[in-house]
Amino acid sequence: MSQSKNQSEQSWPVFSKEFVSVLENLSADAVLNKIPSREHLLAILDPQKIPLLPLLEATRRVREHFCGKDVRVQILNNLQNGQCTEDCNYCAQSTSSCADIKTYPMKPDDEIFAGAQRCAESGGNRYCMVLSGRAPTAERIQHLASLVSEIKKRHNIEVCVSAGFIDAEQARVLKNAGLDRYNHNLNTSSQYYDKICSSHSHADRMACLEAAKSVGLDLCSGLIVGMGESLDDIVSVAIALRRLNVKSVPVNFYMHIPGSRLGEVGQLTPEYCLRVLCLFRFVHPDAEVRAAGGREINLRSLQPLALYAVNSLFCEGYLNSSGQALENTKAMICDAGYVIGQVEE
Ligand code: SF4
């Protein structure tokens, strides 16, 4: 055997042909809307088992089978920022964080209604209201319910709220006011949860999602990738979200904000981020899978390839960091051969 062949064998992984049947199985499960096996999901995350380009192509077929070429674009609307008494160590809004962020109480109603109007007039079909904090008081729930009901009266748009832990009774008040969807992220697996937070548990988050689901609200719930969790944790949270039948799955990539307690964690690679997005498409074939916070700094120049897996993007910035501008996001979608769907605020 020549030396140059030896060198080339050392430089590139040699894939067994088994990856072809793994991708066929994953695709067959996705088309039947079945949860793939844990073994196949772990293979997606392993660059020694499945080469990236065939993985992306198989994912693209599933994505386009269920979601066509559309990409929804969402602009986050933060109604209240910071001063949260929970101790989630990744979050700049926690009072246990020293991050230098702009904190503000809930915006006045007229600003909130103006946001909903802007959203409706720009052709958006969903308005999302996000508030920091552990849980809304009874008074806050009544206030949110009155906002939801007024927005639904004024505009033909869907409304989503993210306001922390709620129980079934509070969820029913919001549902009766016309709320369509509730957001509450699981963030990581049950096994890893105590490494990121001690003031509440994974079970608390599950209970909130179950409460919202029990009254017929659609669920939006996702995770943050890159907080030191294992590959197994990523698979577990994907499956847990699937069992909850979430309609919308924001996949965030950890961004360290100086002052936050979690600090710098090992760098995510663009290829790994793409693999995680592919995994979420196979587990949630017909859901709105979104490349959310941190896509720009973690996917870097490979961002357009994420569109082979996701049918939704955040842009313009996240809770406490900036993001790709709307116009550049639209250009990227068109350049990649996809179609801009709804722009939501
Ligand atoms: S509950 Fe939400 S806002 Fe509060 S610290 Fe945790 S992630 Fe941040």
Side-chain angles (χ1 to χ4, degrees), residues 80-96 131-135 162 164-165 184-185 187 193 196-197 199-200 205 224 319:
Q80 171 180 301
N81 203 46
Q83 296 298 323
C84 179
T85 52
E86 295 302 286
D87 72 353
C88 309
N89 63 8
Y90 54 87
C91 181
Q93 301 199 65
S94 165
T95 46
S96 67
L131 297 104
S132 61
R134 178 186 164 88
S162 180
F165 293 99
H184 193 68
N185 291 331
N187 289 326
Y193 207 85
I196 60 161
C197 180
S199 54
H200 62 260
R205 288 204 174 246
I224 306 172
L319 294 175

Side-chain angles (χ1 to χ4, degrees), residues 221-279:
S221 183
L223 79 162
I224 306 172
V225 180
M227 298 191 291
E229 72 287 336
S230 66
L231 304 186
D232 218 50
D233 291 317
I234 297 285
V235 171
S236 295
V237 69
I239 293 175
L241 290 168
R242 170 61 195 270
R243 292 201 171 120
L244 286 163
N245 194 25
V246 295
K247 301 281 186 235
S248 163
V249 193
V251 180
N252 297 281
F253 300 101
Y254 178 64
M255 291 178 283
H256 170 57
I257 296 181
S260 299
R261 286 189 307 121
L262 181 58
E264 304 263 12
V265 186
Q267 272 232 322
L268 294 170
T269 65
E271 172 169 348
Y272 177 68
C273 297
L274 286 174
R275 286 178 181 276
V276 172
L277 293 172
C278 291
L279 182 150

Side-chain angles (χ1 to χ4, degrees), residues 203-223:
D204 293 332
R205 288 204 174 246
M206 287 293 284
C208 170
L209 287 162
E210 295 284 8
K213 189 177 165 190
S214 73
V215 301
L217 287 169
D218 280 350
L219 300 183
C220 168
S221 183
L223 79 162

Side-chain angles (χ1 to χ4, degrees), residues 5 11 86 117 146 156 178 188 192-193 240 244 267 273 309 345:
K5 191 163 181 204
S11 313
E86 295 302 286
Q117 184 163 352
S146 70
N156 184 23
T188 193
Y192 197 66
Y193 207 85
L244 286 163
Q267 272 232 322
C273 297
E345 189 174 332

Side-chain angles (χ1 to χ4, degrees), residues 86-145:
E86 295 302 286
D87 72 353
C88 309
N89 63 8
Y90 54 87
C91 181
Q93 301 199 65
S94 165
T95 46
S96 67
S97 157
C98 305
D100 183 19
I101 59 163
K102 188 174 162 201
T103 63
Y104 49 88
M106 188 166 168
K107 289 178 181 171
D109 290 2
D110 52 355
E111 266 187 53
I112 296 169
F113 290 135
Q117 184 163 352
R118 228 175 19 247
C119 174
E121 285 174 356
S122 64
N125 75 336
R126 181 183 305 278
Y127 185 60
C128 299
M129 301 192 275
V130 183
L131 297 104
S132 61
R134 178 186 164 88
T137 58
E139 194 185 6
R140 171 63 59 85
I141 285 287
Q142 291 302 336
H143 185 188
L144 286 169

